[in-house]
Each structure stands twice: as structure tokens, then as C-alpha cells.
Amino acid sequence: MNIHEYQSKQILKSYGVVVPNGKAAFSAEEAVAAAQELGSAVCVVKAQIHAGGRGKAGGVKIAKSVDEVKGYASELLGKTLITHQTGPEGKTVNRLLIEEGCDIKKEYYLSFVIDRATSMVVMMGSEEGGMDIEKVAAEMPEKIIKEYIDPLIGLAPFQSKRMAFKMNFDAAVIGQVSKLMTGLYTAFVAKDCSLAEINPLVVTKDDKVMALDAKLNFDDSALYRHPDIAELRDESEEDAKELAAAREGLNYVNLGGDVACMVNGAGLAMATVDIIKHYGGEPANFLDVGGSSTVENIAKAFRIMLEAARLRGFLSISLVASTNATSLPAVSSKRLRSSALRFRLSFASKARM
């Protein structure tokens, strides 16, 4: 589950991470009131959508007066922002963050993620902040520094200080950086995050260290432990079909193609998507109905899949196994006269006495 930047900053602030003062706004009038309350000579008007690259798409504006805040707010609210993460359809801006400006001296990158290969949380940092970390990884991999954290010990003080020195922070701010890293790690663990990212992490000209932007993603399976986090969900930012599927206990991901698929088992579902791609199709979705699906669940899954606008065909693969059996693959297909293709592949196992 994702939340907005201003919500992430509110959470991180409660864990001691320094963030600029700011307020959310849902109208131009609220934006003006927020700017007046902040009383800053420079305000930043930031579109709030679940996607990166907002600045390049025109979703971040610098305002030097209340009138400019009102103008930028009116311009952004209701606008569709298209970034490298939204796809060509973009996302509509329904809320803003009005934030006080700051005088930046240097930008950095900092995040915590789970490294499944080592079963550890890894802290990643770079002095190349303020840009896409994927680009840094591709073009300057040596600029990304990693620190693996033992889950039984947690983030040790020497690790945060070592990371700060490797990221080339000035000695005068090492203490602040170490404290911020500890706060970010504590939030990551306490809230069952799958990602905690600050980009950019900045040092201001008066040597203050703060999170200028923040992103928190949460493990959906752990949301039952965090009702306060679940309440922050913005369903307008999520795919309607994915939300409907989640309510029915179905694992559905919209992929935007023209061949829908329904499978019982996540691994088999990924293989099915590969089959569609291999034969020149574009998968419309990933849908795992699970091993204990019912007639009602299957019917609901069909309804969700058929809502896809570009749908031309359907592929279903089911795997049925019985004990003391050897696999006997049987494949059948049917071409519909309407030019849409329907495929059904069944791999059945029959018991041998």
C-alpha cells in the first residue's frame, strides 16, 4: 500500500525525522490559508499523486507570494500529471502539499528496503540525490552504498555513522544524519514498511539535515496491525479493478494488455503471462484465484477481467493434481467467430492403480 508524501512526512516526523513545515490542501482557498499560516517568504506547491517524477512533469511549483500560491494551486488541482511512473494515462491531482521553502546546499539519497536474498533490511545511500536512483544505479553503480542490518540487533550507531561518512556528509552534520537514519529505520520496522525512501535528503546552507521528499510503502499483509495506516489509503489513486479484486480476496494486477488470464497459483500465473508474451500477445492482467476458489469467486473474477477496455481474448490455465499420479498434459483451444480468442489449457493428473 502506498500513501502520499505529506502523509509519509507526518509519520516520519513522529519518529524524529526532520521535515519542512507543510500542510495538505484540497482547494485553492485551503492552499492560500496554508501558505498564510506557514508565513514563509517562499512556498513550494507540490502535487500529491502516487508516482515519482512530479517535478519534471510540472507538478512542483515555487511560489514567492500568496497570489502565486493561489495561481499554482488552481493550475494543479484537477490537472492530469503524466510521469515515467504513471503511464500515458497519467494521474489526476486531487490534493496538494503546501510547504515552506528551504535553502539547499547539497542533496542526497537514502532508503531502507528488504533484501530477500539475505533476509535483511538494507540501508542504501548515495550522494547523488535528487535524481532517479535507477539512473544512478545504471550509470554510476559505485555511487550507491549499502549497509546490511542484522534483524536481531537493528541499525547500530556505528553503521549509520559509517554510512554518513561514506556518503561524504560534512563532519559538522554527521550527528544529525545518524539520528535521521535511526528515525527512518525505526519507522520502517515499526510500521511494517516494504520501502522507506527520502529523495532528496538535504543539507541546508545553515547546516540543517531534513527530508525534503519522502515515500513510504507498506506490506499489505501487515495492515491488520496498523489500522491507522490503512485509514490513509487513497483509493482514487489505485486501479478500480485491483481494489474490487482485493475485496474479493483475489490477487489481481492490471497490466493493460488485450489478453486476460486467470490461473490458480501465482507461479503458474507468471508462467501464463510469459506464454501470452511469447506468442505475441499482451497480457491484460495477472490474476491468481488461489487453490481454494469457489464458483462465486470465479464468476467475480470473470466480471473484473471483462471490464478491461482493450480485451480481445481470454486464457485460463488450471492445475489439478491427485495423489499417486503422473502428469498427463491435455491441451485444447477454441477460436471464437467474433475474432476474439479464447484459450483453455488444462493439465490434469489421473491416478494409476
Side-chain angles (χ1 to χ4, degrees):
M1 184 187 121
N2 299 336
I3 59 175
H4 289 289
E5 174 194 356
Y6 75 92
Q7 295 167 326
S8 298
K9 286 179 173 177
Q10 289 171 352
I11 293 171
L12 293 182
K13 188 176 182 179
S14 68
Y15 285 89
V17 175
V18 179
V19 300
N21 293 321
K23 294 195 69 176
F26 296 83
S27 67
E29 291 73 24
E30 289 184 12
V32 168
Q36 290 173 334
E37 184 177 334
L38 290 172
S40 176
V42 176
C43 285
V44 185
V45 182
K46 307 178 78 173
Q48 298 294 282
I49 59 171
H50 289 177
R54 293 168 297 164
K56 294 179 181 178
V60 179
K61 305 290 187 181
I62 307 297
K64 297 181 179 179
S65 69
V66 172
D67 289 338
E68 286 189 359
V69 169
K70 184 176 182 180
Y72 288 140
S74 300
E75 174 190 338
L76 289 174
L77 285 169
K79 179 180 179 179
T80 300
L81 279 187
I82 300 175
T83 78
H84 67 285
Q85 292 185 2
T86 64
E89 68 280 1
K91 286 184 177 290
T92 303
V93 180
N94 295 312
R95 59 185 80 186
L96 304 170
L97 171 61
I98 311 302
E99 198 168 65
E100 64 183 7
C102 68
D103 204 357
I104 301 171
K105 180 166 69 175
K106 178 75 170 106
E107 297 182 343
Y108 302 83
Y109 173 89
L110 180 69
S111 71
F112 288 91
V113 295
I114 297 172
D115 180 16
R116 301 191 183 280
T118 60
S119 299
M120 291 184 178
V121 174
V122 58
M123 175 168 59
M124 295 197 301
S126 176
E127 60 180 316
E128 300 296 329
M131 60 187 295
D132 296 335
I133 195 62
E134 295 85 359
K135 185 176 180 181
V136 177
E139 298 178 0
M140 298 174 288
E142 72 281 358
K143 293 287 188 179
I144 297 179
I145 304 157
K146 296 181 180 180
E147 190 77 47
Y148 291 88
I149 303 164
D150 188 318
L152 296 179
I153 299 174
L155 180 63
F158 80 87
Q159 289 182 297
S160 59
K161 290 180 180 178
R162 181 166 63 189
M163 173 67 86
F165 277 111
K166 286 184 177 180
M167 290 172 64
N168 292 323
F169 281 96
D170 292 338
V173 300
I174 291 294
Q176 293 183 63
V177 175
S178 179
K179 181 180 177 181
L180 183 143
M181 289 176 177
T182 301
L184 185 61
Y185 174 74
T186 304
F188 180 90
V189 174
K191 296 299 184 182
D192 287 308
C193 294
S194 55
L195 168 69
E197 180 182 72
I198 298 175
N199 188 25
L201 168 65
V202 303
V203 177
T204 64
K205 290 187 177 178
D206 57 352
D207 282 340
K208 290 183 180 178
V209 178
M210 65 173 63
L212 201 60
D213 198 354
K215 180 179 181 181
L216 296 179
N217 292 352
F218 303 92
D219 182 352
D220 289 334
S221 300
L223 285 178
Y224 73 94
R225 295 197 294 223
H226 306 285
D228 56 326
I229 299 297
E231 290 178 359
L232 301 178
R233 185 170 223 142
D234 181 2
E235 294 189 351
S236 68
E237 290 286 325
E238 300 183 37
D239 185 277
K241 294 190 289 296
E242 292 181 10
L243 284 171
R247 294 190 189 101
E248 302 299 338
L250 303 171
N251 296 317
Y252 177 92
V253 179
N254 182 19
L255 299 178
D258 54 10
V259 181
C261 62
M262 178 173 61
V263 185
N264 60 335
L268 196 56
M270 289 187 285
T272 305
V273 169
D274 288 342
I275 290 171
I276 294 171
K277 292 286 289 185
H278 179 73
Y279 285 98
E282 290 296 331
N285 64 271
F286 170 100
L287 176 55
D288 170 22
V289 296
S292 58
S293 55
T294 64
V295 173
E296 291 76 14
N297 280 348
I298 297 297
K300 290 170 183 175
F302 267 104
R303 293 191 188 100
I304 292 169
M305 287 190 299
L306 291 172
E307 291 177 2
R310 297 177 54 196
L311 192 64
R312 293 192 304 110
F314 168 76
L315 173 61
S316 172
I317 298 182
S318 58
L319 181 63
V320 182
S322 60
T323 58
N324 301 321
T326 57
S327 297
L328 298 175
V331 182
S332 64
S333 65
K334 182 178 180 182
R335 183 180 298 274
L336 302 180
R337 290 183 178 180
S338 63
S339 78
L341 299 180
R342 180 188 300 266
F343 301 95
R344 182 169 184 83
L345 307 178
S346 299
F347 294 84
S349 296
K350 296 182 179 180
R352 291 183 177 180
M353 299 301 293

